[in-house]
């Protein structure tokens, strides 16, 4: 690593080796235990682990080969339709071969266990009584089917920092992954251990509903008792700032842009052009304000007034949310739609300190905390879904019926989309949310 190379160049190879051994030991057995061992003790443990891993890998390969042969013999022993056995297992030679393989399997498993015991004893011999008891307790709870690879940190007091990234677009589409990441953090973090979350944020805002949901996901972390640090690298404006203000500690790079606490709604109006062309656009509604401003009707004073009232209501919700998350912020003074760069934003209490995300994470490492990057990955599509052609749902359904028949087509569509609740097929259409933005 860069740190090891730098230490080796400035403090000597022995010092660099000691620090690397201590770091690796701490990752497996805990920071507290690593700090109590000398450099020579850590070196002995590192050599013992390397020897164990090499020996265990060789034995495991031999064991896997034997297990494959046993599976082949078992497959060949399958009975026929009349229940009679067939293949080599019906012969004495095949039975003898199976017995020999089982003996070799047992011998290899014993050798693996001995190698594991030797390594555990090597580690345990370097520990004090308290740490030895912790190791024993962990080994009782851990799955050792893969040797000590299955053992986690037995000194479970080391705080962990879970790092997420949100490069937001205008629709806040990244919230689909963020909600999964937040859930994963909440499920795995331990607030009493001092675990915390860090979000690296870049967003100029976007739809009200999208960024409202994104901010709500961050509130979940705080409700779970986790300290939340948000690092703004370039911009957290409007909906982006709605997310940023959820932080317990809000950090921004010196030239990041913050603020823009306001709401905007915009759309073209082509009524006059359609009127000149002799085109009349008809919309039938139920409800006085079901449609106010639209691209196709002549705007009235009543329409404009109603739209302004709607924007004011959203703006009030926005301001109230920011005030709730940052009580010391003078919201009436800064909720003008303006933005400020780092130093000016700091002076107005929009941010707590100016620092890059890199420095924030390095601080966490220097404090002895473990850093985990959390990134949601879409699950693989069902193999059945790959049988369907690309295109709209209607096209896919038609093509599937032609190719596979009605029943098979329905099954394939459900596999690719999931069964849809009939209630979700009826919509109360309203495009206001799509036209209104935190920007």
């Amino acid at each position: 690593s860069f740190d090891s190379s730098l230490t080796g160049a400035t403090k000597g190879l022995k010092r660099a080796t000691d620090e690397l051994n201590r770091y690796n030991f701490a990752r497996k057995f805990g920071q507290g235990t690593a700090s109590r061992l000398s450099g020579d003790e850590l070196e002995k443990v590192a050599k013992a682990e390397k020897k164990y891993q090499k020996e265990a890998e060789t034995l495991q390969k031999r064991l896997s080969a034997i297990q494959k042969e046993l599976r082949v013999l078992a497959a060949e022993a399958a009975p026929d339709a009349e229940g009679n056995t067939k293949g080599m297992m019906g012969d004495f030679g095949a039975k003898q071969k199976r017995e020999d393989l089982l003996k070799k399997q047992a011998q290899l498993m014993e050798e693996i266990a001995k190698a594991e015991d030797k390594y555990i004893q090597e580690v345990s011999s370097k520990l004090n009584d308290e740490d030895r008891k912790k190791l024993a307790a962990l080994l009782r709870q851990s799955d050792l089917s893969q040797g000590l690879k299955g053992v986690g940190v037995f000194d479970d007091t080391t705080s962990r920092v879970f790092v997420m990234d949100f490069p937001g677009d205008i629709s806040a589409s990244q919230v689909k992954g963020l909600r999964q990441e937040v859930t994963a953090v909440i499920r795995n973090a331990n607030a009493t251990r001092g675990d915390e979350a860090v979000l690296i944020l870049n967003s100029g805002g976007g739809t009200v509903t999208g960024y409202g949901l994104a901010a709500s996901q961050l509130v979940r972390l705080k409700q779970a008792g986790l300290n939340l640090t948000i690092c703004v690298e370039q911009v957290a404006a409007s909906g982006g700032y709605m997310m940023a203000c959820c932080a317990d500690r809000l950090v921004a790079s010196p030239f990041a842009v913050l603020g823009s606490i306001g709401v905007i709604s915009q759309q073209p109006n082509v009524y006059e052009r359609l009127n000149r062309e002799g085109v009349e656009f008809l919309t039938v509604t139920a409800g006085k304000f079901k449609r106010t401003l639209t691209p196709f009707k002549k705007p009235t004073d009543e329409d404009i007034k109603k739209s302004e009232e709607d924007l004011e209501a959203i703006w009030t919700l926005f301001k109230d949310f920011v005030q709730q998350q940052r009580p010391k912020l003078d919201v009436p003074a800064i909720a003008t739609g303006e933005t400020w760069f780092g130093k000016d934003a700091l002076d107005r209490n929009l941010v707590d300190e100016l620092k890059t995300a890199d420095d924030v994470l390095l601080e966490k490492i220097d404090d002895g905390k473990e850093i985990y990057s959390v990134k949601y990955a879409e699950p693989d599509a069902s193999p059945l879904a790959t049988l369907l052609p690309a295109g709209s749902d209607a096209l896919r359904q038609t093509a599937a019926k032609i190719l596979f028949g009605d029943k098979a087509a329905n099954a394939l569509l459900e596999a690719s989309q999931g069964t849809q609740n009939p209630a979700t097929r009826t919509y109360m259409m309203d495009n206001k949310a799509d036209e209104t933005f935190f920007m």
Side-chain angles (χ1 to χ4, degrees):
S1 67
F2 172 78
D3 285 344
S4 296
S5 300
L6 181 62
T7 302
T10 58
K11 300 180 182 179
L13 180 60
K14 180 66 168 62
R15 177 70 178 276
T17 302
D18 286 349
E19 291 191 7
L20 180 59
N21 288 337
R22 192 175 305 279
Y23 172 76
N24 290 333
F25 190 92
R27 284 179 63 85
K28 183 177 290 291
F29 299 111
Q31 186 70 36
T33 304
S35 65
R36 290 190 282 272
L37 299 184
S38 67
D40 289 340
E41 289 173 325
L42 288 168
E43 185 177 0
K44 289 179 181 178
V45 170
K47 287 181 178 179
E49 180 172 12
K50 187 175 182 180
K51 181 180 178 181
Y52 161 72
Q53 289 177 340
K54 184 177 180 180
E55 187 176 356
E57 183 179 355
T58 301
L59 292 171
Q60 191 62 51
K61 285 181 179 178
R62 290 169 57 189
L63 180 61
S64 297
I66 289 174
Q67 290 172 337
K68 286 180 181 179
E69 289 190 59
L70 285 169
R71 286 193 287 269
V72 170
L73 291 175
E76 292 175 344
D80 58 22
E82 287 74 31
N84 300 316
T85 57
K86 56 183 179 179
M88 290 192 301
M89 290 300 290
D91 302 327
F92 174 78
K95 292 180 180 179
Q96 186 62 47
K97 182 176 181 181
R98 183 173 183 275
E99 289 179 5
D100 291 342
L101 288 172
L102 288 173
K103 287 180 181 179
K104 289 181 181 179
Q105 178 179 250
Q107 290 173 354
L108 284 171
M109 292 178 70
E110 184 177 356
E111 289 183 49
I112 291 173
K114 287 180 179 179
E116 192 173 89
D117 289 346
K118 186 176 180 180
Y119 173 52
I120 292 173
Q121 290 169 8
E122 183 70 30
V123 174
S124 184
S125 67
K126 304 297 184 293
L127 306 180
N128 60 29
D129 290 342
E130 180 184 354
D131 289 335
R132 197 172 297 168
K133 289 178 181 178
K134 291 180 180 178
L135 175 59
L138 180 70
L139 293 173
R140 289 191 189 97
Q141 301 170 9
S142 300
D143 175 15
L144 297 182
S145 60
Q146 296 183 336
L148 288 181
K149 293 179 181 179
V151 178
V153 176
F154 73 85
D155 182 1
D156 205 29
T157 59
T158 304
S159 299
R160 298 167 188 178
V161 180
F162 299 91
V163 183
M164 297 165 284
D165 189 32
F166 192 91
D169 57 23
I170 196 170
S171 62
S173 61
Q174 295 79 9
V175 75
K176 181 179 180 181
L178 178 66
R179 71 194 314 167
Q180 301 290 348
E181 293 164 6
V182 168
T183 297
V185 171
I186 292 173
R187 290 287 188 179
N188 290 278
N190 185 346
T192 59
R193 184 175 52 203
D195 291 356
E196 55 185 296
V198 172
L199 179 74
I200 299 175
L201 174 65
N202 281 295
S203 174
T207 60
V208 172
T209 51
Y211 278 91
L213 178 58
S216 298
Q217 295 300 324
L218 300 182
V219 172
R220 291 176 60 204
L221 292 168
K222 299 172 70 174
Q223 291 173 341
L226 298 173
N227 187 277
L228 174 62
T229 299
I230 294 181
C231 302
V232 180
E233 294 201 303
Q234 296 185 49
V235 58
S238 204
Y241 190 76
M242 172 179 267
M243 293 180 67
C245 73
C246 296
D248 296 297
R249 177 192 180 197
L250 180 52
V251 182
S253 62
F255 285 90
V257 177
L258 298 99
S260 188
I261 300 177
V263 187
I264 182 174
S265 177
Q266 58 187 9
Q267 60 181 253
N269 186 278
V270 295
Y271 169 77
E272 293 294 343
R273 177 60 184 268
L274 293 176
N275 192 43
R276 288 198 301 271
E277 299 294 336
V279 177
E280 184 177 3
F281 193 90
L282 300 177
T283 302
V284 179
T285 63
K288 182 177 180 181
F289 294 114
K290 186 61 181 176
R291 279 290 180 270
T292 51
L293 296 179
T294 80
F296 307 110
K297 61 173 285 191
K298 183 176 182 179
T300 65
D301 291 341
E302 186 179 32
D303 291 338
I304 295 173
K305 181 181 178 181
K306 175 58 179 171
S307 294
E308 289 174 344
E309 290 174 355
D310 291 342
L311 288 184
E312 286 286 338
I314 297 171
W315 187 41
T316 299
L317 288 173
F318 189 178
K319 291 186 293 183
D320 290 347
F321 182 84
V322 174
Q323 188 71 76
Q324 181 183 9
Q325 300 301 318
R326 290 184 69 83
K328 295 182 180 179
L329 183 62
D330 186 0
V331 173
I334 53 90
T336 60
E338 296 173 86
T339 58
W340 293 272
F341 285 94
K343 180 62 170 63
D344 291 334
L346 181 64
D347 293 341
R348 290 166 173 78
N349 203 31
L350 283 159
V351 63
D352 296 318
E353 55 187 301
L354 301 181
K355 189 175 292 184
T356 64
D358 312 85
D359 288 331
V360 170
L361 295 179
L362 286 173
E363 282 179 0
K364 306 293 185 186
I365 294 173
D366 291 341
D367 290 340
K369 299 180 178 181
E370 295 182 345
I371 310 297
Y372 293 85
S373 177
V374 182
K375 182 68 176 177
Y376 174 69
E378 287 283 353
D380 294 334
S382 165
L384 293 175
T386 61
L387 298 174
L388 293 175
S392 67
D393 289 345
L395 176 61
R396 285 157 60 87
Q397 187 171 18
T398 301
K401 287 183 177 180
I402 294 172
L403 293 171
F404 308 113
D406 290 349
K407 290 185 178 180
N410 291 334
L412 288 171
L413 287 168
E414 287 182 6
S416 63
Q417 299 175 334
T419 303
Q420 187 183 39
N421 188 318
T424 63
R425 300 193 187 109
T426 303
Y427 301 92
M428 293 179 291
M429 294 298 293
D430 191 345
N431 63 351
K432 287 183 181 178
D434 294 332
E435 299 165 352
T436 307
F437 302 93
F438 290 135
M439 294 185 70

